[in-house]
């Protein structure tokens, strides 16, 4: 029997309620087990995210509650899927309830945010994207999948494919930066790795989220409205989803916000006309958490019954966490308001994936030994280390890095250097905090014999005063080098972590500027989920180097230590522009030119109080060596529509250390029927080069990729002249030109 027949077979034996159960996804519930003990989980979550209580304290409180695993609902067939259940033993229990106690014995989808690893945590996606290294991201996906599957997870709510042009938006940390092409490259790699069978035939269902254009939230404020032209949607936000669908992604998550006035959860135009009809998606759509219920809050429907009806009619197949489908859809069908065929359609989409992803072929025994053999292994940690080394971006260096062997005493200042919870960063709930190597540990592991490392707390991202600064300056007096660690705690980026300012929080900037006056050179390590406005730090000569370390994951300290001591050479390059101030956002390298591009003349497009140039541009990053570019040439002058242009450039490592360079290629369509961006990334290649080595590097650009979506949303490729830029980042490039004609 093929899968289609099997699905029909299963469906024909199901009651209406059981079918709707397959469209229902929920978490476990918590109730207070102790008399007089108030269980206010929402408040505790808020407190933890605001830093008022630690994660440990949060978990302690949760452990005092009685958790209902909802095995009875599973057994009745009214609950067919779980969200964010990641304790291995509990997963096995609910699966047992499904296969042994439910009438149909249909296993559950256990969906979890596998965003940056599972037990072994990798850098945040924004950090990983700075590696520009597809192979390393593929390895991350392989490790994450192995660990998640060992724990019983069979569905990942990721990768997130939202293009993120605005650093105010906290979820930029989960993105692959501001470029749609790069986002698509990483996204499809993860999807393929998750979904292809591994050596044991295991697959992990992937989700492309959040559909659509969530990264364009107005003002960078999370969950906020998006109102944009369809041509912008297609040119700047849709390409990664097109790649995802082409790669066969099994699930898509609709977004929280309203798009052009209609909440995505109930937007038939987005979910049906675009996603299914136009892109050809054939998996199932899951809502975001409680987003069905939230339609009432949006003011888009009168009540939760209408919310459930509109969502399922629009093509939202599964309800995450609202419980509205299970509560209202049965009645709506019984009353003849909703055709049962719509339920069958959604249920068959879900069941098809359950069959395709082998859920019926697995055993659901809890086997702690097998889990521990698969997780946090040496090999997994090595992959996380390699990814971390490649993700950090060296922003500034006057030569103080790598740390010289003459340095005898290093003083590390800043609580972030040892705060494992903060260093873990967002979306690391499945990870093990205690497995993380903090910055002081990492520096101690990497430092040569005879060098001492001392740590002083000094300040933190939430410090509100500088009362101890003179004392700290005294303590660093005899240091040969100060490493100041500043930035963001775990919940200062991620979901619901938007910011109206991009500057360092609390007193950190003042603290760093005060430390800059110390006799010893100062290296600033920035731990953050987003680009920060750090012009004063950049321009202060007393701060000798700045490393954007992001949240690097389990191997944080080891990777950073090896980079600072020069055992490894930094090679990360920014994938999101850094600006001075939030008022410049959204700011991307691939903007249109305007008719009056900023210049000296008064009447040009600029600000009175902020530059129009980025603080650090897209593609930027330093190395301990230098690369020079020369002799850019193309294999032809004129190309026809089906050609692949080959652009070749000489790259030379002119420094005295081996290192890696990301050769970047951008294109500008000089004249088109709609205004095209000043530059768009079309190809890149990461090259490892020995000191002194020179190479001819060829990048290929299919001419078809030079097209765009016009105002009618048709993809068109227009003939004419295109400028080609090849170089080190989006600002430092050599230029050449190509012509696209009908016949080449
Ligand atoms: C997020 C999703 C996530 C879901 C489940 C939501 O709040 O927006 O990205 O997958 O929670 O954790």
């Amino acid at each position: 029997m093929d899968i289609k027949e099997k699905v029909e077979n299963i469906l024909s034996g199901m009651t209406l309620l059981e079918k709707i159960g397959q469209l229902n996804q929920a978490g476990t519930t918590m109730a207070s087990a102790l008399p007089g003990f108030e269980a206010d989980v929402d408040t505790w979550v808020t407190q933890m995210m605001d830093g008022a209580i630690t994660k440990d304290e949060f978990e302690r409180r949760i452990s005092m509650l009685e958790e209902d695993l909802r095995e009875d609902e599973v057994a009745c067939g009214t609950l067919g899927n779980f969200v964010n259940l990641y304790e291995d033993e509990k997963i096995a229990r609910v699966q047992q309830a499904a296969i042994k106690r439910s009438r149909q014995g249909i296993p559950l989808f256990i969906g979890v945010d596998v965003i940056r690893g599972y037990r072994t945590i990798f850098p945040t996606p924004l950090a990983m994207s700075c590696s520009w290294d597809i192979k390393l991201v593929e390895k991350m996906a392989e490790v994450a999948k192995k660990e998640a599957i060992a724990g019983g997870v069979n569905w990942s709510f990721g990768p997130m494919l939202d293009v993120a042009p605005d650093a105010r938006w906290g979820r930029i940390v989960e993105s692959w930066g501001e470029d749609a092409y790069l986002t698509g490259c990483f996204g499809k790699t993860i999807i393929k790795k998750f979904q292809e069978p591994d050596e044991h035939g295991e697959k992990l269902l992937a989700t492309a989220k959040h559909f659509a254009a969530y990264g364009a939230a107005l003002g960078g404020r999370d969950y906020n409205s998006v109102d944009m032209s369809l041509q912008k949607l297609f040119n700047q936000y849709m390409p990664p989803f097109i790649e995802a669908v082409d790669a066969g992604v099994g699930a898509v998550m609709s977004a929280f916000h309203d798009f052009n006035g209609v909440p995505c959860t109930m937007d038939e135009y987005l979910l049906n006309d675009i996603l299914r009809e136009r892109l050809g998606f054939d998996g199932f759509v899951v809502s975001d958490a409680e987003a069905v219920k939230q339609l009432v809050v949006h003011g888009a429907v009168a009540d939760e019954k209408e919310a459930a009806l509109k969502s399922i009619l629009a093509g939202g197949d599964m309800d995450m966490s609202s419980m509205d489908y299970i509560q209202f859809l049965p009645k709506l069908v019984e009353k003849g308001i909703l055709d049962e065929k719509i339920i069958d359609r959604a249920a068959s989409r879900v069941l098809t994936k359950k069959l395709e992803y082998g859920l019926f072929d697995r055993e659901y025994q809890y086997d702690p030994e097998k889990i521990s053999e698969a997780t946090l292994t040496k090999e997994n940690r090595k992959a996380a280390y390699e990814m971390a080394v490649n993700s950090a971006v060296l922003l500034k260096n006057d030569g103080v890095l790598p740390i010289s062997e003459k340095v005898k005493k290093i003083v590390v200042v800043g609580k972030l250097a040892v705060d494992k919870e903060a260093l873990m960063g967002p979306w690391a709930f499945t990870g093990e905090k205690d497995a993380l190597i903090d910055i002081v540990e990492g520096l101690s592991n990497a430092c040569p014999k005879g060098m001492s490392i001392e740590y002083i707390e000094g300040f933190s991202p939430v410090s509100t005063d500088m009362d101890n600064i003179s004392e700290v300056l005294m303590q660093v007096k005899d240091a040969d080098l100060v490493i100041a660690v500043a930035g963001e705690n775990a919940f200062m980026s991620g979901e619901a972590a938007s910011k109206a300012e991009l500057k360092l929080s609390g007193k950190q900037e003042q603290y760093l500027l005060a430390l800059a006056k110390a006799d010893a050179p100062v290296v600033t390590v920035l731990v953050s989920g987003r680009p920060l406005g750090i012009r004063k730090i950049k321009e202060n000569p007393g701060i000798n180097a700045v490393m954007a370390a992001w949240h690097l994951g389990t191997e944080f300290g080891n990777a950073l230590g090896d980079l600072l001591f020069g055992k490894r050479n930094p090679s990360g390059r920014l994938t999101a522009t850094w600006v001075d101030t939030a008022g410049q956002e959204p700011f991307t390298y691939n903007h249109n030119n305007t008719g009056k591009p900023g210049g000296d003349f008064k009447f040009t497009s600029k600000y009175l109080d902020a530059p129009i140039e980025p603080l650090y541009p897209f593609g930027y990053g330093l190395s301990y060596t230098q690369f020079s570019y020369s002799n850019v040439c193309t294999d032809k002058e004129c190309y026809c529509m089906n050609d692949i242009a080959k652009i070749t450039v000489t790259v030379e490592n002119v420094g005295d250390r081996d290192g890696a360079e990301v050769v970047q290629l951008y294109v500008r369509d000089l004249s088109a029927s709609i205004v095209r961006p000043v530059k768009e990334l079309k190809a890149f290649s990461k090259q490892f080069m020995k000191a002194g080595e020179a190479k001819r590097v060829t990048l290929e650009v299919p001419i078809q990729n030079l097209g765009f979506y016009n105002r009618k949303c048709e993809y068109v490729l227009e003939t004419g002249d295109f400028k080609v830029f090849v170089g080190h980042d989006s600002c430092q490039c050599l230029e050449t030109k190509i012509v696209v004609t009908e016949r080449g």
Side-chain angles (χ1 to χ4, degrees):
M1 229 193 292
D2 67 8
I3 287 189
K4 197 162 171 268
E5 282 172 286
K6 282 189 190 161
V7 169
E8 278 164 13
N9 216 13
I10 301 173
L11 267 184
S12 65
M14 289 174 99
T15 64
L16 175 64
L17 210 58
E18 285 167 343
K19 287 190 262 187
I20 298 172
Q22 291 302 310
L23 315 181
N24 185 22
Q25 180 173 42
T28 59
T29 58
M30 298 286 183
S32 183
L34 307 170
F37 178 71
E38 199 71 25
D40 186 355
V41 180
D42 279 359
T43 306
W44 300 344
V45 169
T46 307
Q47 286 174 336
M48 176 181 63
M49 292 192 158
D50 289 347
I53 60 170
T54 62
K55 189 174 168 231
D56 289 344
E57 169 60 14
F58 174 78
E59 277 164 2
R60 191 191 66 80
R61 290 186 192 178
I62 292 286
S63 70
M64 286 159 68
L65 302 181
E66 198 166 325
E67 189 176 22
D68 177 4
L69 283 183
R70 310 178 98 137
E71 287 153 285
D72 290 342
E73 288 164 73
V74 171
C76 294
T78 53
L79 179 58
N81 313 282
F82 273 81
V83 46
N84 285 347
L85 180 64
Y86 41 75
E87 281 148 283
D88 320 314
E89 196 252 329
K90 292 178 185 168
I91 294 178
R93 260 173 62 194
V94 292
Q95 288 290 20
Q96 288 300 326
I99 56 174
K100 301 244 172 76
R101 289 177 54 203
S102 80
R103 225 170 51 83
Q104 299 280 336
I106 302 172
L108 308 154
F109 262 133
I110 309 288
V112 169
D113 291 290
V114 185
I115 303 296
R116 41 184 294 226
Y118 190 65
R119 298 285 183 236
T120 307
I121 297 297
F122 286 70
T124 59
L126 183 63
M128 287 194 273
S129 68
C130 294
S131 72
W132 297 61
D133 195 322
I134 303 290
K135 281 267 161 279
L136 290 179
V137 170
E138 188 175 41
K139 184 73 191 168
M140 177 283 296
E142 183 188 316
V143 170
K145 170 182 173 179
K146 206 181 277 174
E147 294 192 348
I149 283 181
V153 171
N154 47 27
W155 176 13
S156 158
F157 298 136
M160 184 180 107
L161 299 182
D162 298 311
V163 173
D166 191 332
R168 291 172 298 179
W169 190 50
R171 301 195 81 165
I172 190 172
V173 67
E174 300 164 47
S175 81
W176 306 88
E178 71 194 33
D179 185 77
Y181 167 67
L182 202 52
T183 303
C185 290
F186 289 121
K188 72 178 170 207
T189 303
I190 296 171
I191 290 165
K192 282 187 185 153
K193 197 32 108 192
F194 277 177
Q195 297 195 159
E196 77 190 15
D198 64 12
E199 71 267 30
H200 309 293
E202 302 272 24
K203 306 183 209 172
L204 182 69
L205 181 79
T207 311
K209 70 184 187 185
H210 307 82
F211 201 72
Y214 186 28
L218 189 63
R221 181 155 59 82
D222 212 358
Y223 317 122
N224 209 3
S225 304
V226 172
D227 200 320
M228 70 166 60
S229 70
L230 292 178
Q231 85 213 29
K232 185 165 181 176
L233 172 73
F234 269 86
N235 283 319
Q236 290 181 22
Y237 293 89
M238 205 54 88
F241 287 94
I242 296 175
E243 294 281 3
V245 172
D246 289 349
V249 74
V252 166
M253 189 185 294
S254 51
F256 281 124
H257 62 276
D258 73 277
F259 179 82
N260 293 351
V262 182
C264 300
T265 314
M266 52 174 267
D267 190 349
E268 195 179 351
Y269 177 66
L270 279 182
L271 302 184
N272 189 57
D273 301 8
I274 294 185
L275 182 61
R276 289 199 186 274
E277 299 294 326
R278 183 154 181 172
L279 270 52
F281 174 64
D282 70 351
F284 67 87
V285 172
V286 61
S287 76
D288 205 335
E290 296 194 343
V292 174
K293 201 196 265 304
Q294 289 158 15
L295 295 177
V296 184
V297 189
H298 274 283
V301 293
D303 52 26
E304 289 181 36
K305 185 171 27 158
E306 192 187 348
L309 179 66
K310 290 246 166 98
S311 302
I312 190 127
L313 284 174
D317 302 304
M318 193 184 287
D319 168 12
M320 187 200 291
S321 306
S322 283
M323 306 296 286
D324 283 344
Y325 279 15
I326 198 68
Q327 198 180 342
F328 299 108
L329 295 185
K331 276 252 149 48
L332 287 166
V333 174
E334 279 156 22
K335 285 192 176 154
I337 298 170
L338 177 65
D339 191 336
E340 189 164 348
K341 284 202 190 101
I342 301 287
I343 305 287
D344 290 352
R345 180 183 79 176
S348 78
R349 285 171 183 160
V350 173
L351 288 170
T352 302
K353 293 299 162 200
K354 287 194 173 178
L355 283 158
E356 282 177 10
Y357 283 78
L359 266 62
F360 290 83
D361 314 327
R362 287 187 199 159
E363 284 174 21
Y364 294 96
Q365 303 299 340
Y366 174 53
D367 184 349
E369 211 172 297
K370 211 165 136 202
I371 296 166
S372 82
E373 268 168 26
T375 49
L376 279 163
T377 61
K378 225 170 151 189
E379 189 203 332
N380 297 1
R381 294 192 71 126
K382 198 170 150 236
Y385 164 85
E386 202 51 43
M387 186 81 249
V389 163
N390 280 272
S391 301
V393 183
L394 182 61
L395 296 176
K396 170 180 176 179
N397 185 17
D398 68 0
V400 69
L401 291 178
I403 299 168
S404 147
E405 289 198 1
K406 288 191 200 124
V407 169
K408 291 295 163 228
K409 179 176 173 183
I410 297 179
V411 178
V412 182
V413 190
K415 187 174 175 208
L416 277 172
V418 294
D419 184 344
K420 293 190 189 226
E421 194 173 320
L423 291 174
M424 276 294 250
W427 292 114
F429 268 103
T430 52
E432 282 179 32
K433 189 187 74 184
D434 295 339
L436 180 138
I437 307 292
D438 69 36
I439 294 180
V440 171
E441 285 167 348
L443 288 169
S444 311
N445 291 344
C447 84
K449 278 210 179 79
M451 208 183 265
S452 75
I453 311 249
E454 262 175 43
Y455 161 72
I456 316 174
E457 178 170 325
F459 66 100
S460 83
V462 291
S463 305
T464 48
D465 66 59
M466 293 181 61
D467 295 352
N468 63 1
I469 185 71
S470 358
E471 201 184 313
V472 170
L473 284 171
M474 281 298 293
Q475 285 172 290
V476 302
K477 223 170 173 40
D478 61 346
D480 300 313
L481 181 74
V482 174
I483 298 181
V485 187
E488 296 185 319
N489 284 337
F491 298 115
M492 289 181 171
S493 63
E495 186 175 346
S498 295
K499 283 187 170 173
E501 294 282 358
L502 295 178
K503 57 185 184 213
L504 284 159
S505 61
K507 288 277 178 223
Q508 295 185 95
E509 183 176 280
Q510 292 91 318
Y511 223 103
L512 292 175
L513 296 175
L515 281 173
K517 296 194 184 120
D519 291 336
V522 176
V523 172
T524 295
V525 171
L526 290 178
V527 176
S528 78
R530 53 156 61 78
L532 295 167
I534 52 154
R535 180 167 296 273
K536 286 193 180 148
I537 310 296
K538 177 184 178 186
E539 287 176 355
N540 190 308
I543 293 178
N544 306 72
V546 179
M547 179 75 88
W550 316 110
H551 296 278
L552 288 182
T554 305
E555 286 290 321
F556 197 137
N558 287 336
L560 183 71
D562 285 355
L563 287 167
L564 297 184
F565 283 104
K567 293 186 181 164
R568 300 296 299 268
N569 192 349
S571 62
R573 304 285 184 264
L574 299 177
T575 57
T577 307
W578 287 44
V579 291
D580 283 84
T581 169
Q584 295 159 285
E585 296 285 4
F587 190 127
T588 60
Y589 81 94
N590 52 0
H591 56 85
N592 291 351
N593 210 18
T594 83
K596 289 166 173 263
D600 293 338
F601 182 49
K602 164 77 182 163
F603 296 98
T604 55
S605 178
K606 58 191 175 190
Y607 295 106
L608 292 177
D609 55 355
I612 50 163
E613 292 79 26
L615 185 61
Y616 293 111
F618 179 87
Y620 174 86
L622 303 173
S623 159
Y624 295 150
T625 186
Q626 296 82 40
F627 300 94
S628 84
Y629 284 75
S630 56
N631 283 331
V632 61
C633 64
T634 60
D635 62 331
K636 291 207 258 174
E637 266 170 34
C638 277
Y639 296 90
C640 72
M641 310 274 188
N642 294 322
D643 279 343
I644 294 179
K646 295 187 180 63
I647 294 109
T648 305
V649 67
T650 301
V651 186
E652 191 177 351
N653 179 346
V654 291
D656 54 10
R657 276 173 182 265
D658 301 348
E661 170 71 335
V662 179
V663 182
Q664 303 165 33
L665 185 147
Y666 301 85
V667 170
R668 178 172 183 187
D669 187 343
L670 290 177
S671 146
S673 55
I674 63 169
V675 176
R676 302 290 298 133
V678 291
K679 263 174 206 155
E680 268 191 331
L681 184 73
K682 293 291 172 194
F684 61 92
S685 167
K686 191 164 179 176
Q687 297 286 331
F688 295 88
M689 299 180 69
K690 294 250 166 243
E693 184 183 353
K695 272 190 195 173
R696 290 289 282 162
V697 177
T698 298
L699 296 165
E700 295 194 350
V701 181
I703 295 298
Q704 276 297 334
N705 292 358
L706 302 186
F708 56 88
Y709 293 89
N710 65 16
R711 292 184 82 179
K712 290 188 206 146
C713 265
E714 300 153 342
Y715 188 77
V716 290
L717 173 59
E718 294 178 351
T719 56
D721 294 355
F722 293 78
K723 225 181 213 181
V724 177
F725 310 82
V726 186
H728 173 76
D729 62 40
S730 61
C731 288
Q732 303 172 63
C733 296
L734 299 178
E735 288 181 26
T736 182
K737 203 185 85 174
I738 60 171
V739 181
V740 175
T741 60
E742 296 284 351
R743 298 220 183 89

